[in-house]
Structure formats: structure tokens, C-alpha cells
Amino acid sequence: MDTGSVRPAVTELRLSAFKTHRGVTLPLGPLTLLSGESGSGKSSALQAYEILARLGSGESLARAVRDVAGSASACVPAGARPDEQGRRGFRIGCTVDGPAGPVDLDLAVQAEPELRIVGERLTGGGQALLTTALTDPDRPAVQAAWHTAGATPVTRAPLPDDRLGTSLLPLRVAGKTEGQRLVLAAAEQVVVALRSAFVCDPRPEVMRGTRTAMAAGSGGAGGTGARAKKAGTGKTAGKGAATPTAAGSWGTRARKGAGNGAEGWGRDADVVHDEGRLRTSCDNLPAVLERTSKECARRHAVLVAAVREACAGPVDGLRAVPRQPDTSAEGTAAVLAAGASTGGGRSDSGAQHAVQGAAAEERRLQAVVDRGALGEMPIEQLGDGELRFVALALVLLTGPGVLAMDPAGEIPSAQQQMTVMADGMDRCMDRRQTRELVSLAVRMAERGHVRLLGTVRDPSVADGLPGVQVLHLGA
């Protein structure tokens, strides 16, 4: 297998049997945009990728599919009939390129009558490195066999049927033989690539500082988790463990309460509040802007320049300032609601105190646009498209250390690529704004640290831009 220094990345997504897709293979480049009519399966493709990414991060299968509308049963292809035991399911997979060469991961998931992974296959270097199969339906386990190439060619052992076996291999394989080292290299490559995904869905109604919305929780379309895991293993660290993260464009910051956070990835509602890490709905944008503007003036200047091109009216700057106290009845009610949502006046754990303190820290800041001679304007007064542009541009200009995600901390950041997943990337934006955003993505992808997978309504926004691949679904 190849031993080059290529950064691990998902280069192919396979939808063998998933929702409306059957036998579909999507090649993924550094910049890939999916287009097509409504119902063509654009969002479904991103959902399949997200399920793989969550499993690669060590999440249970139930958590990986819980945010799919209609649960796991909705992932079953339309018209699929159950077998004699009433079982139905779906099949997805991917190819990850990297130092170990192309590695294929394919999954067969049973969605009914109970949710479980019934088959997994990891292939690299022309040979099967891991295979699993359900041999006893009454046991919550699959029989796994992985390549050894020693005195015993294959090692067999049971693995849980609700976890990705590939993510568990570093805990089970000693790495003593050449075959075992092949297995470890392939598994680590797949896990690193899958864990390097960040699902971004900026929500203008929350970004505008609608405190009641923030208090209720901002469960967007994905995001990454808050609990520490040993990189490349999916192993969850104990309480109080430090969270290993790769250095992003703006560096890293310790996460508050990391040991008590949600497992694996997680939606915004699961992520421990940290004013320095941008969540998937971008509801804490002001706090992150305050951090990034101080830590990297050059990148912040690029952000301001991009916002200037995308927004109406003059833009001389973008920063966070102290929010003026809201003494109105509505403001008081919102504060009380926020307290109730984080445990009310009585806190039973240090984690609740941390959440309440971080949420209060976030509420003290407000993002403003410097309009020059026109003065400062609160960012919430921007249009929906402008707000989404600011958030997505900030994500493209940052890295894992600034986003609420859990990358492989034991792998140097220089050997990783972050994949930004943006369903409905051009939602609320006009063509000019979308093209400016894609142009920014082109510039960042040239550095080799950022990849983009998004869906758009108008594929012409990428016309003439180098390196952008547009896949038309449903054609």
C-alpha cells in the first residue's frame, strides 16, 4: 500500500441502497457541489455521509441516525420489502484516500425490526482487512474477522452490532505483524477522514440573538461532539480528561466540561457551551468572532473583505462588542428561560454550572458591522442571506480548533483535512453571494486543509471557478 503523505479524505460516497438512491456512486473532490431538482436526493447524500462520519467518531448507530427525519426506517429505500423475518435496511459506504492508499468501507444496516449493523467490510491493498457478519440474531454482536498475516492468517472475535467495527480496531489489534499494521493504518485513515467533518447549517433566527431560541437549544443540521476520545480509536475518555484537538487556523482552546459532554459528534443541544468554538447553527457567532479577530488578524481581514463583497452597503470591519443590558420585560423573561433550560436556579453538577456560565458569557457579546461613516450596525440587522454568508465564510476560514468538532487529536493538523458539509449552502443567498462564497472556498481548498461538500439550487454559481466539481443528481 502507498506510504505517501497524502492527507486522509473521503473521495467517494456510495449509496448502494439509501432512501431514493440505489447503486449511486458520487466521486468527491476538494470542492463538490450537488445540484438537482427538489427530491433528487441531494440532502440524502449528505445525510449518508453524516451517518458515516458520526459512526467514525465512535457514536452508537442509534445516535448516528437519530436526527434523520423519520428515524432509521426513513433511510430504507422506497419500496424495499422485508424478508421472511420482517427485516429491512440500507447500505452505504465510502472510499478514503490517504497514506495507506485507497481504502473502502461498506456497511449494511438493519433498520427494522431493530436497529443494528449487520455487515461491515474494510478493504485496502486489494484484500479484505475487516469483515463482520450477523451470525446470531439473538445476540447484540456481529462476528468479526480481521487480517493478521501471521501464524494465524485471520483473527476472529465478536464486536458490538451498534458500533463501527473499523473505529474499534485500534483497541483490538496489537500491530505486531505486517498484516496487523496494514489493518491499523487503513482503519486509522478512515477514522481520521470521517472525524474531520463539520456539518454547518447557520440559522439566522438564532444568530440574530433571539435569546428564547438560544435558551431552547439550537439543534441544527449536525455538528460535532464535545466528549474527548482517543484519536483514531473512538475510545471515550473519562471524566475530567483533556480533549485532544488538532490546531486549526486560529489554534485551539480548552473545552469546558469536556469530560461530561455528549458522546461523539452531537447536535448543538448536546455540545457543552464553549464561547470559543463555533457551533453548527452558528448561534454563538459573536463570541467566536471576538476570539478569531484577536488570534489571527490576517484571516480576519480576509473575512471582512469577503463580507464586504457579499453585503449591501459599506463594510469597514466586523467585530464583537459588549451587548447593552436588556431591561425590558421580554429580556428578563428570556434570561429566566435560559436559566430554566440549563437547570434553573438549582444546579446538580459542575457541568451545569459550566453551561450556565458559558451561556451567560455568550449573551454579553454582540457582533456588529462597522459601516464607516454610517456607524456600527448590529449583525442581526443583516438579511438572512448575509447572515448565512458571514457564518459560512467564517467556517471556511477557520479549522477544527475553532469549530465545535472532535478531530483526531493524535494526528498532526498538517496531516488532516477538514470537510465542511453545507446542505442548502445557497439558501437565502442571491447568486452574487453564493459565487463569492464558492470563490472563497476555492482559495481555501488550494491550501489543502479544507474540503467542501454542499448542495445548491443553481449550479451555474460555479461556472468558471477552478477545481469546483458539480454533480447533477436525478438527471
Side-chain angles (χ1 to χ4, degrees):
M1 299 175 77
D2 189 8
T3 57
S5 59
V6 181
R7 300 182 183 97
V10 177
T11 55
E12 183 176 278
L13 179 65
R14 289 184 292 280
L15 310 173
S16 303
F18 186 79
K19 289 196 169 185
T20 60
H21 299 287
R22 285 184 179 272
V24 173
T25 298
L26 302 176
L28 304 181
L31 295 174
T32 303
L33 299 179
L34 307 181
S35 70
E37 300 294 329
S38 177
S40 61
K42 303 185 298 296
S43 298
S44 297
L46 266 67
Q47 286 178 344
Y49 191 128
E50 185 179 350
I51 290 172
L52 290 170
R54 287 174 174 268
L55 289 171
S57 293
E59 283 202 10
S60 68
L61 178 60
R63 286 180 59 86
V65 302
R66 70 174 185 173
D67 291 305
V68 176
S71 70
S73 296
C75 299
V76 179
R81 296 182 178 180
D83 62 11
E84 296 178 353
Q85 286 75 39
R87 297 175 297 190
R88 299 197 312 156
F90 59 90
R91 290 180 290 123
I92 55 178
C94 66
T95 296
V96 176
D97 278 331
V103 178
D104 294 335
L105 171 67
D106 292 283
L107 294 180
V109 177
Q110 175 185 301
E112 300 170 353
E114 57 182 317
L115 185 63
R116 63 202 315 183
I117 297 175
V118 295
E120 178 179 348
R121 186 177 183 87
L122 184 71
T123 309
Q127 56 188 322
L129 303 177
L130 168 71
T131 59
T132 70
L134 180 67
T135 57
D136 184 353
D138 295 327
R139 296 182 60 196
V142 292
Q143 186 65 26
W146 58 82
H147 181 63
T148 304
T152 303
V154 176
T155 300
R156 303 181 188 278
L159 292 178
D161 65 0
D162 67 338
R163 304 280 170 168
L164 184 70
T166 297
S167 69
L168 301 176
L169 285 177
L171 301 175
R172 306 295 297 268
V173 180
K176 294 181 178 180
T177 69
E178 183 63 27
Q180 289 177 340
R181 287 189 287 272
L182 268 179
V183 172
L184 286 174
E188 181 181 76
Q189 178 169 296
V190 170
V191 169
V192 167
L194 292 178
R195 285 178 63 174
S196 298
F198 180 74
V199 180
C200 186
D201 183 25
R203 297 174 55 192
E205 72 276 12
V206 179
M207 294 169 61
R208 287 196 169 92
T210 307
R211 298 182 183 180
T212 52
M214 292 175 63
S218 50
T224 48
R227 195 172 189 177
K229 290 193 287 294
K230 287 189 176 180
T233 67
K235 183 177 181 180
T236 305
K239 292 185 178 182
T243 305
T245 57
S249 301
W250 269 288
T252 59
R253 174 174 292 191
R255 305 182 67 178
K256 296 181 180 180
N260 292 318
E263 172 192 23
W265 266 29
R267 301 289 164 154
D268 282 350
D270 292 332
V271 176
V272 174
H273 282 254
D274 183 345
E275 66 276 11
R277 295 168 66 91
L278 188 67
R279 295 189 285 270
T280 188
S281 62
C282 304
D283 61 316
N284 60 332
L285 182 70
V288 178
L289 274 177
E290 182 186 45
R291 173 188 174 187
T292 56
S293 62
K294 294 177 180 178
E295 294 185 1
C296 187
R298 183 176 60 85
R299 289 288 179 100
H300 187 74
V302 174
L303 174 63
V304 172
V307 173
R308 183 181 299 120
E309 293 296 323
C311 294
V315 176
D316 289 353
L318 187 65
R319 57 180 173 272
V321 299
R323 183 186 295 273
Q324 295 300 317
D326 187 352
T327 58
S328 66
E330 292 81 0
T332 301
V335 171
L336 292 175
S341 70
T342 55
R346 185 171 61 91
S347 175
D348 296 325
S349 71
Q352 288 179 331
H353 282 300
V355 170
Q356 291 172 342
E361 179 71 9
E362 290 172 2
R363 288 194 299 273
R364 76 172 181 84
L365 293 173
Q366 179 182 47
V368 297
V369 179
D370 184 352
R371 295 290 200 183
L374 300 179
E376 294 181 344
M377 182 184 77
I379 199 171
E380 54 260 34
Q381 293 182 18
L382 293 176
D384 284 3
E386 293 172 320
L387 276 175
R388 285 180 55 81
F389 179 93
V390 171
L392 285 164
L394 179 60
V395 169
L396 290 172
L397 285 165
T398 60
V402 181
L403 304 175
M405 60 185 297
D406 186 19
E410 294 177 2
I411 306 299
S413 60
Q415 298 177 17
Q416 299 186 50
Q417 292 186 89
M418 178 181 72
T419 297
V420 177
M421 299 169 59
D423 189 19
M425 189 177 76
D426 57 350
R427 189 184 316 135
C428 304
M429 296 187 200
D430 58 33
R431 188 179 186 280
R432 174 180 59 87
Q433 292 168 332
T434 305
R435 186 171 178 83
E436 180 64 27
L437 187 64
V438 177
S439 298
L440 178 63
V442 170
R443 294 169 57 189
M444 299 311 299
E446 288 175 350
R447 301 173 179 267
H449 291 280
V450 176
R451 296 169 66 91
L452 172 66
L453 174 60
T455 68
V456 294
R457 296 164 297 175
D458 179 11
S460 69
V461 296
D463 289 351
L465 295 179
V468 182
Q469 173 183 236
V470 178
L471 303 179
H472 302 274
L473 303 187

